[in-house]
Amino acid sequence: VPPKNDETVVFSKGEGRRLILHIFIRALFPAVAAQIVNLVAFGFLMIAFERDFLLAASCGTLSGSLSWRNVARCDAVRQYSGPAKTWAGSLMLAELALCMITSSASFLSRTELMRKKNPWKANRIWAYSFVVSLALIVPYLAATLSRGVLGALPWYFYVVALLLPLLCLLACELVKRDDQKQEYRAEKLRRLQFETRLGMWSPKESRFLDDTS
């Protein structure tokens, strides 16, 4: 705990490093989730709409079968700049937005967990913004994706795409739990420091008896 009114001390010991680590963790999960969606979607869209390109580039196995993993390992797709890449990028951006919107429920409080503080009741402006932001993803995908794109993706792609934002939210809550422990410890130290100083400067009874009494 920094000394009282000491403006030269900004963070307590290790707090700056912990803050940077927590910011990195909160940003890492949405970025990784969006990249996973982009990689898997690009593979399936290439198979559905650019199968001749993949076969000509020998991106499949010896038996001629193709999977999104074969597309991800194929060097020829690095030069590809067709519509499948654009569609996968749109899905990636939508997934990133979905992860950030979902994770925002954990940003309403730094230390209080969601199970103890319901975000829907704690902040109505956030609740309205949450619904509106989710609704805006639908017209964005409708404007950027062509007909048949969503149908070319398997059902488990959508399961993964919906589970990843929940994992991002879980990661934010775990980081918040660590913040909660550190804040609780710092609060106890501040109280101890205050009570110690109060005891040092509080009036004390004289140890010498009055001889006239």
Side-chain angles (χ1 to χ4, degrees):
V1 178
K4 184 178 180 181
N5 299 330
D6 189 354
E7 297 180 356
T8 62
V9 180
V10 180
F11 296 107
S12 60
K13 185 178 180 180
E15 184 179 357
R17 182 172 62 255
R18 179 171 55 86
L19 180 62
I20 294 174
L21 178 61
H22 288 179
I23 293 175
F24 175 76
I25 293 175
R26 287 189 174 103
L28 178 64
F29 276 82
V32 172
Q35 290 298 327
I36 292 175
V37 168
N38 178 50
L39 186 64
V40 177
F42 180 65
F44 282 113
L45 293 177
M46 286 293 293
I47 294 173
F49 297 97
E50 301 289 350
R51 191 177 186 88
D52 295 336
F53 174 86
L54 297 176
L55 295 177
S58 301
C59 294
T61 60
L62 296 177
S63 60
S65 61
L66 291 171
S67 67
W68 68 270
R69 289 181 295 272
N70 298 129
V71 177
R73 299 188 187 121
C74 185
D75 294 333
V77 297
R78 296 180 180 178
Q79 308 298 328
Y80 176 81
S81 59
K85 190 173 184 179
T86 303
W87 297 333
S90 299
L91 292 171
M92 178 187 68
L93 185 58
E95 180 69 16
L96 180 61
L98 184 60
C99 290
M100 295 304 298
I101 293 170
T102 306
S103 299
S104 67
S106 182
F107 299 159
L108 298 179
S109 175
R110 181 183 176 186
T111 56
E112 292 189 60
L113 299 178
M114 290 179 56
R115 63 185 181 184
K116 295 183 179 179
K117 185 176 183 180
N118 190 349
W120 296 99
K121 297 180 180 179
N123 194 322
R124 293 189 177 275
I125 296 178
W126 171 85
Y128 296 143
S129 302
F130 181 87
V131 175
V132 172
S133 300
L134 287 181
L136 290 176
I137 297 178
V138 177
Y140 166 75
L141 292 177
T144 56
L145 300 181
S146 299
R147 180 175 298 180
V149 172
L150 296 179
L153 301 172
W155 63 269
Y156 53 85
F157 170 83
Y158 298 100
V159 174
V160 173
L162 293 177
L163 287 179
L164 288 176
L166 298 179
L167 291 178
C168 296
L169 179 60
L170 178 61
C172 291
E173 287 294 288
L174 293 177
V175 169
K176 185 188 294 186
R177 178 179 294 181
D178 185 67
D179 276 336
Q180 189 181 51
K181 292 180 180 179
Q182 297 293 334
E183 182 63 25
Y184 178 71
R185 178 177 177 272
E187 182 180 357
K188 292 178 65 177
L189 290 175
R190 287 192 295 267
R191 182 180 296 274
L192 177 62
Q193 184 186 42
F194 172 77
E195 292 177 352
T196 302
R197 293 189 176 186
L198 183 63
M200 291 173 58
W201 299 105
S202 60
K204 301 181 179 62
E205 295 182 1
S206 176
R207 292 178 297 176
F208 301 96
L209 297 176
D210 189 359
D211 295 336
T212 61
S213 60

